[in-house]
Amino acid sequence: MEFIETIYVKNGNILNLNLHIKRIKQTETYFKWKKRVWNLEKIINKNFQKNFRVRITYNQFGIQQIEYFSIKKRN
């Protein structure tokens, strides 16, 4: 079973960082996975010029995929 955490990065700052870490830890606790230290600040490449979102796919074995998406303005 895999889970997805979508994170918004604005001007190099991860928004709601503590909320994302808390949600990941709740998933670990609920499924009785081995506890990990989630340092999202080191995992996420913040060297982009624009605002973007990051989709982290993870499971009991750790992070499976990290994807970066640009933010598109809606008309």
Side-chain angles (χ1 to χ4, degrees), residues 16-27:
N16 301 313
L17 176 62
N18 291 331
L19 175 69
H20 292 291
I21 292 171
K22 180 181 176 183
R23 191 167 28 227
I24 292 169
K25 288 183 177 187
Q26 286 174 336
T27 302

Side-chain angles (χ1 to χ4, degrees), residues 10-71:
K10 184 175 183 178
N11 300 324
N13 296 312
I14 301 171
L15 300 185
N16 301 313
L17 176 62
N18 291 331
L19 175 69
H20 292 291
I21 292 171
K22 180 181 176 183
R23 191 167 28 227
I24 292 169
K25 288 183 177 187
Q26 286 174 336
T27 302
E28 286 179 332
T29 300
Y30 181 82
F31 288 101
K32 299 181 174 117
W33 295 348
K34 177 183 174 186
K35 301 287 183 193
R36 289 186 172 73
V37 175
W38 293 87
N39 191 339
L40 297 180
E41 288 183 293
K42 288 187 179 181
I43 293 169
I44 295 173
N45 179 359
K46 297 183 287 182
N47 295 325
F48 293 98
Q49 298 294 333
K50 298 179 181 179
N51 300 336
F52 60 96
R53 64 185 175 92
V54 182
R55 180 168 52 203
I56 299 176
T57 305
Y58 66 98
N59 62 21
Q60 67 189 29
F61 303 110
I63 293 175
Q64 301 303 305
Q65 187 173 20
I66 300 175
E67 300 171 274
Y68 297 90
F69 301 94
S70 61
I71 303 294

